[in-house]
Amino acid sequence: MKLLFLAVFLYLTASHVSASDPSPLQDFCVADNYSKVFVNGKVCKDPKLATANDFFFAGLDKPGNTSNPVGSKVTPVNVMQIAGLNTLGISLARIDFAPGGQNPPHTHPRATEILTVLEGTLYVGFVTSNPENRLISKILNKGDVFVFPVGLIHFQQNVGYSNAVAIAALSSQNPGVITIANAVFGANPPISDVVLAKAFQIDKQLVDKLQASFWMDNN
Ligand SMILES: *[C@@H]1O[C@H](CO)[C@@H](O)[C@H](O)[C@H]1NC(C)=O
Ligand SMILES: *[C@@H]1O[C@H](CO)[C@@H](O)[C@H](O)[C@H]1NC(C)=O
């Protein structure tokens, strides 16, 4: 009976859906990484047991390994890395780019992103919703900041001659990433090539070739 009550309460509190993460109802709710209960977010551990390390991450000074087909690497710092981010609606990532490297077109279903360039030169952009599908893009240099609104497809490409580094802040403890090419052509099990041939207005052979490619996940 207690459990049923808890389930109903959690359902009611979790169903007040907003565009970003729900507001916290206490100072903090450090994720109990061992809980087997599934809720919207993560179950809190006893606040009295929270320590500084629950709010701490080390190592963002270390470059990610960009030796891969897209030439970039995302180092996420979200609720999986910092349990204390649970319910706080914010997270971070470091993105490293080799010369010519890119963070391919992707979306964050749960977060707006604000990106600041620490080193190098990036060509960045996002595309608005149908029917305009307007590309809003810019070349960014060291110290420049750019915003990618929640849910919109966006990308970053290193157009300089040296490595580039950026820090992205995101308005979710768990922004999620959907890399467009991976989701469309690398779906598991695969989306029918009949569907993709019509959607992309290309022949099935090309779809099959794309589906047989390796879709690198840089996250
Ligand atoms: C970077 O990744 C490549 C490809 O996986 C690997 O061969 C290489 O050893 C890695 N470099 C470092 C410094 O970890
Ligand atoms: C929580 O558990 C996941 C999965 O086992 C692990 O990858 C992650 O590092 C853990 N996070 C923390 C903050 O302990």
Side-chain angles (χ1 to χ4, degrees), residues 153-173:
I153 294 179
H154 60 281
F155 62 86
Q156 298 111 22
Q157 170 111 16
N158 183 357
V159 291
Y161 297 102
S162 56
N163 291 339
V165 186
I167 296 281
L170 297 125
S171 62
S172 171
Q173 66 177 41

Side-chain angles (χ1 to χ4, degrees), residues 152-219:
L152 300 188
I153 294 179
H154 60 281
F155 62 86
Q156 298 111 22
Q157 170 111 16
N158 183 357
V159 291
Y161 297 102
S162 56
N163 291 339
V165 186
I167 296 281
L170 297 125
S171 62
S172 171
Q173 66 177 41
N174 178 25
V177 185
I178 302 168
T179 305
I180 308 307
N182 302 34
V184 171
F185 295 109
N188 182 20
I191 300 174
S192 156
D193 57 1
V194 175
V195 171
L196 294 183
K198 200 171 226 16
F200 285 82
Q201 296 169 40
I202 54 180
D203 57 44
K204 266 172 51 179
Q205 285 75 8
L206 182 51
V207 172
D208 296 342
K209 181 168 176 260
L210 288 167
Q211 288 183 317
S213 303
F214 171 64
W215 294 101
M216 161 74 202
D217 178 6
N218 69 343
N219 280 258

Side-chain angles (χ1 to χ4, degrees), residues 68 70 72-75 95 102-104 179 216-219:
N68 61 56
V70 292
S72 75
K73 185 70 187 176
V74 177
T75 306
I95 315 164
Q102 71 164 219
N103 193 12
T179 305
M216 161 74 202
D217 178 6
N218 69 343
N219 280 258

Side-chain angles (χ1 to χ4, degrees), residues 84-99:
L85 282 178
N86 190 39
T87 74
L88 297 184
I90 195 167
S91 62
L92 208 64
R94 170 180 173 137
I95 315 164
D96 287 277
F97 304 83

Side-chain angles (χ1 to χ4, degrees), residues 24-40:
L25 303 174
Q26 62 280 301
D27 278 358
F28 53 76
C29 166
V30 174
D32 175 356
N33 216 14
Y34 302 100
S35 174
K36 295 281 176 280
V37 178
F38 290 91
V39 293
N40 186 23

Side-chain angles (χ1 to χ4, degrees), residues 26-72:
Q26 62 280 301
D27 278 358
F28 53 76
C29 166
V30 174
D32 175 356
N33 216 14
Y34 302 100
S35 174
K36 295 281 176 280
V37 178
F38 290 91
V39 293
N40 186 23
K42 290 175 178 287
V43 170
C44 316
K45 77 176 188 186
D46 181 346
K48 291 192 205 67
L49 303 179
T51 68
N53 279 342
D54 290 323
F55 302 92
F56 174 79
F57 175 86
L60 218 55
D61 57 321
K62 306 217 172 30
N65 185 345
T66 58
S67 302
N68 61 56
V70 292
S72 75

